[in-house]
Amino acid sequence: MKTPAISLEALLVLDAIETRGSYAAAAEQLNKVPSALSYIVQKLEEQLNVTLFQRQGRRAVLTPAGKHLLSEGRKVLSAINTLSEQTQTIANGWEPKIRLACDSIMDIKTIFNGIEGFLAAHHSIEIDVQEQVMNGTWEALIDDRVDLVIGAPAPVPNQKGIRAIKIAQLNSVLVVNKAHELSLITQPIKLEQLSGYRNVVVHDSAQHQIPWSVNMIAGSQHFFVSSIAIKTAAIIAGIGIGYLPKNLIQDHIESGELIVIKLAEERPPQDLFMAWKITNKGKGLNKLITILSRC
Amino acid sequence: MKTPAISLEALLVLDAIETRGSYAAAAEQLNKVPSALSYIVQKLEEQLNVTLFQRQGRRAVLTPAGKHLLSEGRKVLSAINTLSEQTQTIANGWEPKIRLACDSIMDIKTIFNGIEGFLAAHHSIEIDVQEQVMNGTWEALIDDRVDLVIGAPAPVPNQKGIRAIKIAQLNSVLVVNKAHELSLITQPIKLEQLSGYRNVVVHDSAQHQIPWSVNMIAGSQHFFVSSIAIKTAAIIAGIGIGYLPKNLIQDHIESGELIVIKLAEERPPQDLFMAWKITNKGKGLNKLITILSRC
DNA sequence: CTTAATTGTTCAAATTATTTGAACATAACA
DNA sequence: TGTTATGTTCAAATAATTTGAACAATTAAG
């Protein structure tokens, strides 16, 4: 590969000239004299063999080629800045990117508050949040597709190298649409009575493992969806019945859109975990874990 | 914005050291002397305040920070190269480089004649020919890795923005090595009789799409190769049987190395296309298309 | 185990590249 | 029509990079 015709210095100069409107102002910003900029621009034009500025009188306007070079060049400059920050970050033991898997059953707001606090202190670390469902979270962790999972359901996979801490206890209740016939029954309902109704189920996002789903009502017809949000919408739309975490649907219950069904035997609360690999020694991950475990 | 700590020069040096394995070899590649590289690397490390190379004896291995800098830095370098080419294209309408993907099934000689004529008139335009196989050609075009594909097989992807013209019709024949037992049979052979023989197949070079391969003989064992030339060699070596374009193997047939098998039902001829994106307005590309479509 | 060849670094000297400031021409502006 | 500010040019000054020789360390070969 031959040496690049474009230099970062030159892009910086182009940017300054365009934003400040003149060579003189740009020179001041860059702590140089105008003739130095003249020299750099001429060199760049010569190397590319392209006219970048149309000299209209003494005002320099960018040609279409110059416009393109500048707008793309700014992206390169910003990439270089990010890169140098990330490199320094890594050198100090901090990772450039932390990947999270969040189960859709979690209340994401709380998590985001914690993440926001973390990002405020660590500007150059990128966070990549992906939503997974049930075993999908564990699998993403085991396959090293993510560094941290939040809200993964019990049981914790008994695989060495995974540290999990309980972060929430989930109380799921059976809910139906307000027009559903089950909402008319006032006595506690036995599980057997539910077998005739269509059950809205979140499909496990695990790719390799055999997916299972908790809370499934035996012997009834199933309607599979890909997240808790869609499940909620489906039940509100009257498509079927299903268990949902109480805290997530408080609004819908109060507004009367969803009706909580009293059961003869309540479902035991479900434990949710935050988990990571102990081999992952990243300082950023550890700090994030500390912050999030205080929520 | 302060002047960037990273320079493109330095990234280039990093890349050379890593790929060539030593300062000495890298210096040779960059037309410099080793001490110059030493100077540049030290400067970069000082500016970033980061150790990039761990000196193990005299072999330099990248630290994690160095690895990240290099892998991201390579993307920046490639972006800068693309940018300079795009800028030149916009400025004079003629692109500095045209990238072709040629299916290995094409007779490259004819193409090269046309390209030679084009280059005679346009000395300053570089041509970059890469060989692809089947869907690999289409994918390279769709992903903008090339500007023009030659000899891509039907069907033309029904994606808007692609213009394709038929440039050849390919008559494939089934051939075997002269010592192969199939060559002894004089009556036309039915397809079912072929199922016992090992079939030499060119592997699709598509990276993302689900690869398919035409001409595969159902129910037989496969031997995958990466180009038509290797396929021909494999069949001559007696590894298996396979379909090959008649015009490409005329010599081998006349010399008796390959025997054409008569089939009860001949394979229908296959259409080959030349294709490009209509968004690509480069004058060079258009002229090249004009020249090549007259072949 | 010893020798020979190669490698990366250091350093002062040599070479390039960039910056500077004065001089100038030209455009903007009152 | 002056007046001011601007961009360019040029030689000189300065800064940056490159060079090659010397050296120490490492590997390869005998």
Side-chain angles (χ1 to χ4, degrees), chain B residues 23-24 38 42 55 58:
Chain B
Y23 277 54
S38 199
Q42 278 175 18
R55 274 78 176 181
R58 77 173 177 235

Side-chain angles (χ1 to χ4, degrees), chain B:
Chain B
M1 188 194 288
K2 53 193 174 300
T3 166
I6 302 171
S7 76
L8 299 180
E9 258 275 274
L11 290 178
L12 228 40
V13 168
L14 232 60
D15 172 69
I17 293 175
E18 175 66 3
T19 54
R20 302 298 302 269
S22 79
Y23 277 54
E28 191 191 19
Q29 172 181 319
L30 298 171
N31 295 316
K32 306 206 162 166
V33 75
S35 58
L37 303 197
S38 199
Y39 172 81
I40 291 175
V41 170
Q42 278 175 18
K43 204 185 77 165
L44 179 59
E45 287 188 323
E46 189 187 335
Q47 306 239 12
L48 282 174
N49 196 27
V50 161
T51 312
L52 298 173
F53 282 112
Q54 200 78 34
R55 274 78 176 181
Q56 288 185 359
R58 77 173 177 235
R59 202 151 235 76
V61 277
L62 286 169
T63 61
K67 274 210 186 83
H68 183 253
L69 175 59
L70 178 55
S71 77
E72 294 302 302
R74 281 185 174 133
K75 296 180 194 166
V76 172
L77 286 174
S78 128
I80 280 284
N81 273 326
T82 311
L83 177 52
S84 101
E85 282 169 11
Q86 287 173 342
T87 304
Q88 287 168 322
T89 303
I90 293 173
N92 28 39
W94 294 87
E95 54 276 54
K97 184 193 228 172
I98 300 176
R99 300 158 304 166
L100 309 183
C102 229
D103 194 297
S104 67
I105 216 168
M106 283 294 299
D107 186 6
I108 293 198
K109 269 178 229 150
T110 328
I111 304 301
F112 277 5
N113 279 340
I115 293 178
E116 195 177 36
F118 173 82
L119 283 177
H122 304 283
H123 180 67
S124 68
I125 296 183
E126 288 182 352
I127 302 276
D128 178 352
V129 182
Q130 56 182 255
E131 202 180 27
Q132 292 283 345
V133 176
M134 291 186 269
N135 265 341
T137 51
W138 292 117
E139 195 175 274
L141 180 64
I142 290 167
D143 292 356
D144 283 325
R145 294 200 309 274
V146 300
D147 305 300
L148 180 66
V149 302
I150 297 168
V156 176
N158 67 344
Q159 181 155 0
K160 48 190 168 188
I162 290 182
R163 165 111 51 252
I165 59 178
K166 186 177 151 186
I167 49 165
Q169 200 173 43
L170 203 68
N171 287 295
S172 291
V173 291
L174 185 67
V175 290
V176 300
N177 169 272
K178 60 186 170 196
H180 197 279
E181 59 181 58
L182 275 176
S183 67
L184 303 175
I185 304 176
T186 49
Q187 292 104 357
I189 294 177
K190 288 178 185 162
L191 287 180
E192 301 87 69
Q193 295 178 264
L194 298 174
S195 61
Y197 300 100
R198 186 184 296 110
N199 191 6
V200 180
V201 177
V202 175
H203 194 287
D204 201 308
S205 66
Q207 294 167 358
H208 306 309
Q209 287 182 33
I210 299 159
W212 47 248
S213 293
V214 293
N215 277 357
M216 290 200 10
I217 296 163
S220 50
Q221 194 193 349
H222 296 132
F223 181 83
F224 288 98
V225 296
S226 63
S227 77
I228 287 285
I230 299 178
K231 176 174 180 176
T232 309
I235 296 177
I236 290 176
I239 288 175
I241 66 177
Y243 291 97
L244 283 173
K246 212 185 225 167
N247 60 315
L248 278 186
I249 53 167
Q250 205 59 48
D251 289 351
H252 299 299
I253 293 173
E254 284 169 9
S255 73
E257 285 176 300
L258 290 176
I259 309 291
V260 176
I261 302 297
K262 285 199 196 76
L263 289 172
E265 45 178 326
E266 287 287 337
R267 262 183 47 72
Q270 192 185 356
D271 289 340
L272 297 183
F273 294 88
M274 171 162 77
W276 63 97
K277 287 205 174 174
I278 55 174
T279 50
N280 195 329
K281 299 262 199 299
K283 290 183 188 172
L285 177 63
N286 279 301
K287 180 147 181 194
L288 184 59
I289 289 167
T290 310
I291 291 177
L292 290 180
S293 57
R294 279 201 299 263
C295 287

